[in-house]
Amino acid sequence: MKLKRIGVDWAKQVFQLHGVDSHEQAVCRKQLKRSQMLDFFRRLEPCTVAMEACGSAHYWARELRTLGHEVRLIAPQFVKPYVKSGKNDANDAEAICEAASRPSMRYVEVKSAGQQASQALHRIRSRLIRARTALVNEIRGLLGEFGLVEARHGVAATRRLTQTALDAQNGLPGQMRELLAELSGELDEHDARLSRLDDMIQRQAREDERVGRLLHGPITATALVSAVGDARQFSSARQFAAWLGLVPRQHSSGGKERLGAINTRGDSYLRTLLIHGARAVLRHCQDKADRRSQWLRQRVCRRNPNIATVALANKNARIVWAILSRGEGYWPG
């Protein structure tokens, strides 16, 4: 069978295909089971295969590329306008095939297995941090019911408060002491697991030369490299910053530009890391005389610290794009 382009709607066990020939006529409408997928594409002549960038899409894209097909991943929100009628697998596959025919369509870069493993590391670490924060809040809340409070926040302050509550003669019931000792051990387990994950991130940072060129902290640098690779799928630095959601939302018409807050598109985890890093720089820029610190102080005077923080995160994102896409190091000034 000779196909020009084929759209695939993924599921866990059942996959819907919609293929067109060189005249854009539908010649293939087929439903396959998971076990039949590779055999079908192995017999098919190389063509363009389009699919939504959803769960397991990167795995299937790598598998189909090894069979000689050109794979294009499309963000689901760009496929939705091409669905003609009610939602079902056949209509979704046809919409994917139609969306891939648009010359201005944007595509998602296929990630390697190493990139996905690195992203999994960051997601697990982020989940553990959320769990540890919830545990710390629970400990502080329970001790507050017994009149034991700590003015300072954070893991270290909570650990000191817990140790003080266990050591002092403060009237805590025996059962509460047992529970508090168990919660303290659980907090230590979270810290130990986070320490192991941080060691893995440090090892990855030492092994990947792209991370070394970024000169960011290892967590931010490895997260950026695992998400975008060499960043050459973005045609400009502004497009990369827009993908991260660090550019203003526009509502412009009739030649009048209206810019609002950042559009918060893209990966919220990467955006959070960049903004937190920029906030740390802003905190220490008052006593520095370099050009970037002077530029940052001017932004703070003109607007407010939050806007200046996002502006610096935007600038850093553009520098990251230049370093990764051009294969160069960072040269201040």
Side-chain angles (χ1 to χ4, degrees):
M1 183 184 301
K2 179 64 175 177
L3 296 176
K4 175 184 178 182
R5 187 176 61 259
I6 185 167
V8 181
D9 183 56
W10 301 108
K12 291 183 178 179
Q13 299 297 334
V14 179
F15 305 94
Q16 184 70 39
L17 280 61
H18 182 94
V20 297
D21 59 14
S22 58
H23 302 288
E24 296 293 333
Q25 298 296 316
V27 294
C28 176
R29 295 187 179 92
K30 187 183 292 291
Q31 188 178 86
L32 298 176
K33 294 182 179 179
R34 186 183 185 91
S35 59
Q36 300 172 320
M37 281 294 297
L38 292 180
D39 289 337
F40 173 82
F41 281 98
R42 192 175 289 112
R43 295 193 302 268
L44 197 65
E45 293 186 28
C47 64
T48 300
V49 181
M51 63 188 82
E52 285 185 333
C54 54
S56 76
H58 293 278
Y59 161 75
W60 286 108
R62 292 193 298 269
E63 292 293 324
L64 295 179
R65 278 184 171 179
T66 59
L67 300 178
H69 298 285
E70 180 185 356
V71 182
R72 296 178 178 178
L73 301 183
I74 307 175
Q77 64 266 28
F78 294 153
V79 174
K80 184 65 176 177
Y82 296 95
V83 179
K84 294 180 179 178
S85 55
K87 176 176 174 54
N88 57 54
D89 292 347
N91 288 340
D92 289 347
E94 182 179 359
I96 294 169
C97 187
E98 179 67 22
S101 69
R102 301 296 92 193
S104 60
M105 180 56 61
R106 303 173 186 173
Y107 299 104
V108 177
E109 190 73 11
V110 178
K111 290 182 173 59
S112 65
Q115 284 180 276
Q116 288 190 287
S118 180
Q119 283 193 313
L121 172 60
H122 281 273
R123 287 167 181 162
I124 294 170
R125 182 181 180 276
S126 180
R127 175 181 60 82
L128 286 175
I129 289 177
R130 291 195 301 270
R132 185 180 65 175
T133 302
L135 179 61
V136 165
N137 291 336
E138 182 180 16
I139 293 173
R140 295 175 67 92
L142 292 173
L143 290 178
E145 294 295 329
F146 293 92
L148 300 173
V149 296
E150 170 67 40
R152 294 185 178 182
H153 294 274
V155 178
T158 302
R159 188 174 284 107
R160 289 195 301 269
L161 177 63
T162 303
Q163 195 62 41
T164 301
L166 289 173
D167 294 342
Q169 297 298 324
N170 44 35
L172 276 182
Q175 185 180 23
M176 185 60 200
R177 288 179 179 275
E178 293 179 8
L179 292 173
L180 193 58
E182 184 177 342
L183 291 175
S184 179
E186 186 178 349
L187 183 59
D188 292 338
E189 291 177 6
H190 279 293
D191 287 339
R193 293 187 64 186
L194 284 171
S195 179
R196 289 195 296 270
L197 293 179
D198 288 340
D199 290 341
M200 295 175 66
I201 290 175
Q202 291 281 1
R203 185 169 63 250
Q204 179 188 350
R206 291 192 298 268
E207 294 173 353
D208 196 328
E209 58 88 18
R210 295 172 297 181
V211 176
R213 283 192 281 111
L214 287 181
L215 296 178
H216 268 283
I219 294 176
T220 303
T222 53
L224 285 166
V225 170
S226 64
V228 300
D230 57 12
R232 291 175 183 169
Q233 63 268 36
F234 302 100
S235 59
S236 66
R238 190 189 187 283
Q239 189 181 71
F240 178 55
W243 177 79
L244 288 169
L246 292 171
V247 300
R249 181 183 287 109
Q250 286 200 40
H251 188 76
S252 305
S253 180
K256 185 173 183 179
E257 292 188 357
R258 296 181 179 87
L259 301 180
I262 58 175
N263 55 32
T264 65
R265 298 173 64 183
D267 194 323
S268 60
Y269 178 69
L270 294 179
R271 184 170 59 253
T272 299
L273 292 176
L274 286 170
I275 289 178
H276 283 341
R279 186 172 288 115
V281 172
L282 180 65
R283 190 179 302 118
H284 299 284
C285 74
Q286 300 301 325
D287 301 327
K288 297 182 179 180
D290 59 282
R291 290 177 57 185
R292 171 168 295 201
S293 297
Q294 294 175 7
W295 173 85
L296 194 54
R297 287 197 296 270
Q298 292 173 0
R299 292 298 180 276
V300 174
C301 293
R302 287 174 50 194
R303 305 300 294 272
N304 63 63
N306 288 334
I307 292 178
T309 298
V310 175
L312 180 59
N314 188 323
K315 181 183 286 289
N316 288 339
R318 294 173 182 236
I319 294 173
V320 166
W321 175 85
I323 292 173
L324 291 178
S325 62
R326 297 172 185 172
E328 300 175 352
Y330 175 64
W331 299 97

